[in-house]
Amino acid sequence: MIIGTAGHIDHGKSALVSALSGRPMDRLAEERRRGITIDLNFAPLTLPGGAIAGVVDVPGHEDFVRTMVAGASGIDLALLVVAADAGIMPQTVEHLAVLEHLGIAAGIPVVTKADLVEPDWLELVLLEVTERLARSSVGFDAPVATSVRTGLGLEELKSRLAARAAGLEPRAGADLFRLPVDRAFSLAGVGTVVTGTAWSGRVSVGEVVNLLPSGRTARVRSIESYGRALEQSEPGARTALGLAGLSRDDAHRGTWLVGADSAWPVSPALDVELTLQPDAPRPLVSRSRVRIHLGTAEFMARVQPRAPIEPGGRGLARLVLERPMVARGGDRLVVRSYSPVTTIGGGRVLDPDPPRRRAAWPAALGHGSPAERLGALLERRPAGIAVAALPVLLGRPPVEAASAARGRADIRLVEDRWVREATLHELAARALTSLKAYHRTHPSDRGMPLETLRHGLRAPEPLVARALSDAAAAGRLRLTDGLAVQSGFVPRVEGGDAEIDRVVRILEEAELCPPSLAELEQRTGRRDVAAILRLAAQAGRVEAVERERYYARPALERFTATLAAIGQGSLIAPAEIRDRLGISRKFMIPLLEWADAKGITERVGDQRRLRNA
Ligand SMILES: Nc1nc2c(ncn2[C@@H]2O[C@H](COP(=O)(O)OP(=O)(O)OP(=O)(O)O)[C@@H](O)[C@H]2O)c(=O)[nH]1
Ligand SMILES: [Mg+2]
């Protein structure tokens, strides 16, 4: 369990964590000099029963809310600290809003410095806190009064924490490894060390991790959690990773470590649902410039709301980021105004890698089961979703994401992508349309070259292949010899059968010395002689002996009959064929090779022998 403090400056957060954990907080010289917390501080806390929790102590100063947000992202439980002698103050309210925007599920209000006030006053503050938190989306316990001077309430607080820890839903281990970096430093003998709370998944010593958004890779050399060396990290634990191959300057607060086996998009935009606080000074309109906090990262963005979002309202928006960032579906974020810098709202990531243009916004994008959200995400992605990207987009572990996909009858796995059936249908329909058009403009061609068809569809190759083979299976087209042919299509030539007859007759008359295609084109004055002869060949009337020379069927029959006659009982010498048929080498050599290829004859030196004689 990760516990985070929250609350106004000077209300006793650090003193409380020190008292609970026995560790000094505020270790920076400047923190000690000014008596305030400036940066995040961390301490392990052993709870009654032996479980270890990680505590993140955050600053309360209004200038450091960004640091507070980084610390509060990814905590399981908040200790909302209110000093008994001060009551609820501005950063109590702002930190509470941050916890709510981040979707923190559990909290314990702690009224500190109880020793400084009269019992009646303490009761009033406890009441004020209870009432203020009653409507919060954070599931708060009743407040605990404490004093680090007298020790009041500390044991009770510890046992409440233990009870909460026991009831906590464990974070998914069988999920993608992701750790938002909150610190990076160099350690002699170890190299670059990166620390953070592992949000999900595990990583082992020796594994490769990616640092995002830069995309640099590193190898995990060592893992440490709460002072113990581990072979494998635990989700939801404070974790320090010794990394080989990464310089200390590459990693810093705001970057992410993820497993190298998963597909994390680094995106220039995020599609989100935003909630604007009732106390926000103005509505969010197109191009409002805001600060976004997600994980430990802070970045600037322009809001493109679907409709202006009023204070107290909620709406859908695209965040156009000033530099590409990393997010996962379902991630919570905090929105702060650019100037003055105050917390104005929060949100939830609906699509961490939205299509650049013409994105549909189906209702299920924001709400619904993983299967429903998957349907909505696919509606915006005609090219489908890679299996490896789905757990990131949906924000669910891989096994759950895959079962959401398998649960939908209207999507299919095409190679490594989930694709809507409708997309494949639409592709097949477009293929048939362009096929029809091709047949219309090339009536004598046997079919449309597949490459031309594929190229024109402008869709990923595997999808096109699947759509075409579907259409073929449904009997709507045929795929042969690199050609696509619409079912029922018969190639035609201008002039019809009479023209085919005319060309075939020329070949018949030429017998065993037929003209080449080029010569035929000259003689007939037609440019489509090749198409005509292909049709005649399909009908069995002619055959190509060479690529550019066709023979009429009767001529070839006469040739084979001559071979058969000479070949009975003896070898066939080319000279004898020449004498009998009166053809020159120019025609005879290709004819003999044709006979060899047909299996009528085989070579014996320069001569031939009948194969079945
Ligand atoms: N009497 C009394 N003083 C306390 C108690 N808790 C904290 N203090 C004092 O209150 C002052 C502020 O305490 P911190 O723990 O630094 O307050 P903080 O909330 O961490 O402050 P920031 O981190 O700067 O927001 C210190 O002087 C503490 O000694 C308490 O229970 N009783
Ligand atoms: Mg402090």
PDB file of all heavy atoms in Angstrom, residues 155-177:
ATOM      1  N   GLU A 155      -1.281   5.349  17.635  1.00  0.00           N
ATOM      2  CA  GLU A 155      -1.497   3.896  17.562  1.00  0.00           C
ATOM      3  C   GLU A 155      -2.802   3.586  16.834  1.00  0.00           C
ATOM      4  O   GLU A 155      -2.875   2.666  16.019  1.00  0.00           O
ATOM      5  CB  GLU A 155      -1.493   3.265  18.967  1.00  0.00           C
ATOM      6  CG  GLU A 155      -0.112   3.221  19.608  1.00  0.00           C
ATOM      7  CD  GLU A 155       0.979   2.685  18.661  1.00  0.00           C
ATOM      8  OE1 GLU A 155       0.776   1.616  18.039  1.00  0.00           O
ATOM      9  OE2 GLU A 155       2.028   3.358  18.511  1.00  0.00           O
ATOM     10  N   GLU A 156      -3.819   4.399  17.141  1.00  0.00           N
ATOM     11  CA  GLU A 156      -5.097   4.171  16.464  1.00  0.00           C
ATOM     12  C   GLU A 156      -4.947   4.355  14.948  1.00  0.00           C
ATOM     13  O   GLU A 156      -5.450   3.564  14.149  1.00  0.00           O
ATOM     14  CB  GLU A 156      -6.188   5.112  16.979  1.00  0.00           C
ATOM     15  CG  GLU A 156      -7.514   4.712  16.338  1.00  0.00           C
ATOM     16  CD  GLU A 156      -8.660   5.709  16.517  1.00  0.00           C
ATOM     17  OE1 GLU A 156      -8.540   6.602  17.365  1.00  0.00           O
ATOM     18  OE2 GLU A 156      -9.644   5.563  15.768  1.00  0.00           O
ATOM     19  N   LEU A 157      -4.223   5.412  14.586  1.00  0.00           N
ATOM     20  CA  LEU A 157      -4.021   5.682  13.158  1.00  0.00           C
ATOM     21  C   LEU A 157      -3.305   4.505  12.493  1.00  0.00           C
ATOM     22  O   LEU A 157      -3.694   4.052  11.403  1.00  0.00           O
ATOM     23  CB  LEU A 157      -3.213   6.978  12.997  1.00  0.00           C
ATOM     24  CG  LEU A 157      -2.956   7.432  11.555  1.00  0.00           C
ATOM     25  CD1 LEU A 157      -4.242   7.523  10.748  1.00  0.00           C
ATOM     26  CD2 LEU A 157      -2.236   8.785  11.561  1.00  0.00           C
ATOM     27  N   LYS A 158      -2.272   3.970  13.182  1.00  0.00           N
ATOM     28  CA  LYS A 158      -1.552   2.825  12.615  1.00  0.00           C
ATOM     29  C   LYS A 158      -2.481   1.630  12.422  1.00  0.00           C
ATOM     30  O   LYS A 158      -2.418   0.939  11.397  1.00  0.00           O
ATOM     31  CB  LYS A 158      -0.388   2.422  13.532  1.00  0.00           C
ATOM     32  CG  LYS A 158       0.852   3.258  13.345  1.00  0.00           C
ATOM     33  CD  LYS A 158       2.018   2.608  14.090  1.00  0.00           C
ATOM     34  CE  LYS A 158       3.229   3.505  14.069  1.00  0.00           C
ATOM     35  NZ  LYS A 158       4.344   2.939  14.834  1.00  0.00           N
ATOM     36  N   SER A 159      -3.341   1.379  13.434  1.00  0.00           N
ATOM     37  CA  SER A 159      -4.180   0.186  13.253  1.00  0.00           C
ATOM     38  C   SER A 159      -5.252   0.425  12.193  1.00  0.00           C
ATOM     39  O   SER A 159      -5.645  -0.495  11.473  1.00  0.00           O
ATOM     40  CB  SER A 159      -4.773  -0.312  14.580  1.00  0.00           C
ATOM     41  OG  SER A 159      -5.471   0.721  15.198  1.00  0.00           O
ATOM     42  N   ARG A 160      -5.707   1.699  12.048  1.00  0.00           N
ATOM     43  CA  ARG A 160      -6.639   1.998  10.945  1.00  0.00           C
ATOM     44  C   ARG A 160      -5.957   1.760   9.591  1.00  0.00           C
ATOM     45  O   ARG A 160      -6.560   1.230   8.659  1.00  0.00           O
ATOM     46  CB  ARG A 160      -7.082   3.453  11.019  1.00  0.00           C
ATOM     47  CG  ARG A 160      -7.981   3.693  12.204  1.00  0.00           C
ATOM     48  CD  ARG A 160      -9.357   4.111  11.738  1.00  0.00           C
ATOM     49  NE  ARG A 160      -9.854   5.121  12.643  1.00  0.00           N
ATOM     50  CZ  ARG A 160     -10.398   6.256  12.263  1.00  0.00           C
ATOM     51  NH1 ARG A 160     -10.508   6.535  10.980  1.00  0.00           N
ATOM     52  NH2 ARG A 160     -10.839   7.108  13.149  1.00  0.00           N
ATOM     53  N   LEU A 161      -4.690   2.179   9.507  1.00  0.00           N
ATOM     54  CA  LEU A 161      -3.952   1.978   8.251  1.00  0.00           C
ATOM     55  C   LEU A 161      -3.807   0.488   7.957  1.00  0.00           C
ATOM     56  O   LEU A 161      -3.957   0.047   6.808  1.00  0.00           O
ATOM     57  CB  LEU A 161      -2.579   2.644   8.328  1.00  0.00           C
ATOM     58  CG  LEU A 161      -2.591   4.170   8.269  1.00  0.00           C
ATOM     59  CD1 LEU A 161      -1.207   4.741   8.584  1.00  0.00           C
ATOM     60  CD2 LEU A 161      -3.047   4.650   6.883  1.00  0.00           C
ATOM     61  N   ALA A 162      -3.519  -0.284   9.003  1.00  0.00           N
ATOM     62  CA  ALA A 162      -3.363  -1.735   8.812  1.00  0.00           C
ATOM     63  C   ALA A 162      -4.671  -2.334   8.306  1.00  0.00           C
ATOM     64  O   ALA A 162      -4.678  -3.182   7.403  1.00  0.00           O
ATOM     65  CB  ALA A 162      -2.941  -2.399  10.119  1.00  0.00           C
ATOM     66  N   ALA A 163      -5.798  -1.871   8.883  1.00  0.00           N
ATOM     67  CA  ALA A 163      -7.103  -2.406   8.464  1.00  0.00           C
ATOM     68  C   ALA A 163      -7.369  -2.045   7.008  1.00  0.00           C
ATOM     69  O   ALA A 163      -7.823  -2.884   6.220  1.00  0.00           O
ATOM     70  CB  ALA A 163      -8.205  -1.850   9.366  1.00  0.00           C
ATOM     71  N   ARG A 164      -7.048  -0.812   6.671  1.00  0.00           N
ATOM     72  CA  ARG A 164      -7.264  -0.385   5.284  1.00  0.00           C
ATOM     73  C   ARG A 164      -6.377  -1.180   4.329  1.00  0.00           C
ATOM     74  O   ARG A 164      -6.804  -1.578   3.250  1.00  0.00           O
ATOM     75  CB  ARG A 164      -6.958   1.109   5.145  1.00  0.00           C
ATOM     76  CG  ARG A 164      -8.087   1.995   5.632  1.00  0.00           C
ATOM     77  CD  ARG A 164      -9.277   1.909   4.683  1.00  0.00           C
ATOM     78  NE  ARG A 164     -10.135   3.077   4.791  1.00  0.00           N
ATOM     79  CZ  ARG A 164     -10.936   3.507   3.826  1.00  0.00           C
ATOM     80  NH1 ARG A 164     -10.994   2.857   2.678  1.00  0.00           N
ATOM     81  NH2 ARG A 164     -11.686   4.564   3.998  1.00  0.00           N
ATOM     82  N   ALA A 165      -5.118  -1.386   4.752  1.00  0.00           N
ATOM     83  CA  ALA A 165      -4.183  -2.126   3.891  1.00  0.00           C
ATOM     84  C   ALA A 165      -4.700  -3.541   3.657  1.00  0.00           C
ATOM     85  O   ALA A 165      -4.616  -4.070   2.542  1.00  0.00           O
ATOM     86  CB  ALA A 165      -2.797  -2.161   4.520  1.00  0.00           C
ATOM     87  N   ALA A 166      -5.261  -4.143   4.719  1.00  0.00           N
ATOM     88  CA  ALA A 166      -5.741  -5.523   4.591  1.00  0.00           C
ATOM     89  C   ALA A 166      -6.915  -5.598   3.621  1.00  0.00           C
ATOM     90  O   ALA A 166      -7.098  -6.595   2.921  1.00  0.00           O
ATOM     91  CB  ALA A 166      -6.144  -6.061   5.966  1.00  0.00           C
ATOM     92  N   GLY A 167      -7.719  -4.536   3.592  1.00  0.00           N
ATOM     93  CA  GLY A 167      -8.898  -4.565   2.735  1.00  0.00           C
ATOM     94  C   GLY A 167      -8.633  -4.091   1.312  1.00  0.00           C
ATOM     95  O   GLY A 167      -9.533  -4.061   0.481  1.00  0.00           O
ATOM     96  N   LEU A 168      -7.374  -3.737   1.069  1.00  0.00           N
ATOM     97  CA  LEU A 168      -7.046  -3.137  -0.227  1.00  0.00           C
ATOM     98  C   LEU A 168      -7.025  -4.187  -1.333  1.00  0.00           C
ATOM     99  O   LEU A 168      -6.480  -5.262  -1.175  1.00  0.00           O
ATOM    100  CB  LEU A 168      -5.673  -2.486  -0.125  1.00  0.00           C
ATOM    101  CG  LEU A 168      -5.296  -1.513  -1.228  1.00  0.00           C
ATOM    102  CD1 LEU A 168      -6.095  -0.229  -1.094  1.00  0.00           C
ATOM    103  CD2 LEU A 168      -3.805  -1.200  -1.153  1.00  0.00           C
ATOM    104  N   GLU A 169      -7.610  -3.844  -2.457  1.00  0.00           N
ATOM    105  CA  GLU A 169      -7.528  -4.726  -3.624  1.00  0.00           C
ATOM    106  C   GLU A 169      -6.088  -4.686  -4.150  1.00  0.00           C
ATOM    107  O   GLU A 169      -5.567  -3.602  -4.420  1.00  0.00           O
ATOM    108  CB  GLU A 169      -8.486  -4.227  -4.703  1.00  0.00           C
ATOM    109  CG  GLU A 169      -8.576  -5.171  -5.848  1.00  0.00           C
ATOM    110  CD  GLU A 169     -10.026  -5.318  -6.322  1.00  0.00           C
ATOM    111  OE1 GLU A 169     -10.954  -5.172  -5.495  1.00  0.00           O
ATOM    112  OE2 GLU A 169     -10.195  -5.563  -7.500  1.00  0.00           O
ATOM    113  N   PRO A 170      -5.439  -5.845  -4.255  1.00  0.00           N
ATOM    114  CA  PRO A 170      -4.041  -5.792  -4.719  1.00  0.00           C
ATOM    115  C   PRO A 170      -3.945  -5.288  -6.155  1.00  0.00           C
ATOM    116  O   PRO A 170      -4.854  -5.508  -6.948  1.00  0.00           O
ATOM    117  CB  PRO A 170      -3.578  -7.248  -4.625  1.00  0.00           C
ATOM    118  CG  PRO A 170      -4.817  -8.064  -4.569  1.00  0.00           C
ATOM    119  CD  PRO A 170      -5.928  -7.193  -4.058  1.00  0.00           C
ATOM    120  N   ARG A 171      -2.851  -4.597  -6.460  1.00  0.00           N
ATOM    121  CA  ARG A 171      -2.693  -4.114  -7.842  1.00  0.00           C
ATOM    122  C   ARG A 171      -2.325  -5.284  -8.750  1.00  0.00           C
ATOM    123  O   ARG A 171      -1.654  -6.216  -8.338  1.00  0.00           O
ATOM    124  CB  ARG A 171      -1.597  -3.061  -7.917  1.00  0.00           C
ATOM    125  CG  ARG A 171      -1.982  -1.853  -7.092  1.00  0.00           C
ATOM    126  CD  ARG A 171      -1.324  -0.612  -7.608  1.00  0.00           C
ATOM    127  NE  ARG A 171      -1.276   0.357  -6.517  1.00  0.00           N
ATOM    128  CZ  ARG A 171      -0.811   1.574  -6.662  1.00  0.00           C
ATOM    129  NH1 ARG A 171      -0.359   1.989  -7.822  1.00  0.00           N
ATOM    130  NH2 ARG A 171      -0.785   2.393  -5.633  1.00  0.00           N
ATOM    131  N   ALA A 172      -2.787  -5.174  -9.959  1.00  0.00           N
ATOM    132  CA  ALA A 172      -2.603  -6.280 -10.892  1.00  0.00           C
ATOM    133  C   ALA A 172      -1.118  -6.524 -11.153  1.00  0.00           C
ATOM    134  O   ALA A 172      -0.406  -5.643 -11.604  1.00  0.00           O
ATOM    135  CB  ALA A 172      -3.319  -5.967 -12.197  1.00  0.00           C
ATOM    136  N   GLY A 173      -0.664  -7.735 -10.821  1.00  0.00           N
ATOM    137  CA  GLY A 173       0.716  -8.099 -11.131  1.00  0.00           C
ATOM    138  C   GLY A 173       0.828  -8.560 -12.572  1.00  0.00           C
ATOM    139  O   GLY A 173       1.809  -8.289 -13.252  1.00  0.00           O
ATOM    140  N   ALA A 174      -0.230  -9.260 -13.024  1.00  0.00           N
ATOM    141  CA  ALA A 174      -0.219  -9.766 -14.404  1.00  0.00           C
ATOM    142  C   ALA A 174      -0.676  -8.664 -15.337  1.00  0.00           C
ATOM    143  O   ALA A 174      -1.656  -8.792 -16.051  1.00  0.00           O
ATOM    144  CB  ALA A 174      -1.123 -10.982 -14.518  1.00  0.00           C
ATOM    145  N   ASP A 175       0.003  -7.550 -15.259  1.00  0.00           N
ATOM    146  CA  ASP A 175      -0.356  -6.400 -16.090  1.00  0.00           C
ATOM    147  C   ASP A 175       0.935  -5.795 -16.615  1.00  0.00           C
ATOM    148  O   ASP A 175       2.029  -6.214 -16.249  1.00  0.00           O
ATOM    149  CB  ASP A 175      -1.150  -5.388 -15.245  1.00  0.00           C
ATOM    150  CG  ASP A 175      -1.848  -4.337 -16.093  1.00  0.00           C
ATOM    151  OD1 ASP A 175      -1.742  -4.388 -17.334  1.00  0.00           O
ATOM    152  OD2 ASP A 175      -2.484  -3.444 -15.506  1.00  0.00           O
ATOM    153  N   LEU A 176       0.795  -4.794 -17.484  1.00  0.00           N
ATOM    154  CA  LEU A 176       1.967  -4.151 -18.056  1.00  0.00           C
ATOM    155  C   LEU A 176       2.749  -3.445 -16.956  1.00  0.00           C
ATOM    156  O   LEU A 176       2.166  -2.767 -16.111  1.00  0.00           O
ATOM    157  CB  LEU A 176       1.531  -3.112 -19.094  1.00  0.00           C
ATOM    158  CG  LEU A 176       0.545  -3.594 -20.147  1.00  0.00           C
ATOM    159  CD1 LEU A 176       0.209  -2.452 -21.100  1.00  0.00           C
ATOM    160  CD2 LEU A 176       1.111  -4.777 -20.900  1.00  0.00           C
ATOM    161  N   PHE A 177       4.066  -3.595 -17.005  1.00  0.00           N
ATOM    162  CA  PHE A 177       4.888  -2.887 -16.030  1.00  0.00           C
ATOM    163  C   PHE A 177       4.929  -1.405 -16.383  1.00  0.00           C
ATOM    164  O   PHE A 177       5.195  -1.035 -17.520  1.00  0.00           O
ATOM    165  CB  PHE A 177       6.310  -3.455 -15.989  1.00  0.00           C
ATOM    166  CG  PHE A 177       7.229  -2.639 -15.134  1.00  0.00           C
ATOM    167  CD1 PHE A 177       7.090  -2.648 -13.750  1.00  0.00           C
ATOM    168  CD2 PHE A 177       8.201  -1.824 -15.705  1.00  0.00           C
ATOM    169  CE1 PHE A 177       7.917  -1.879 -12.952  1.00  0.00           C
ATOM    170  CE2 PHE A 177       9.033  -1.044 -14.910  1.00  0.00           C
ATOM    171  CZ  PHE A 177       8.883  -1.082 -13.534  1.00  0.00           C
TER     172      PHE A 177
END
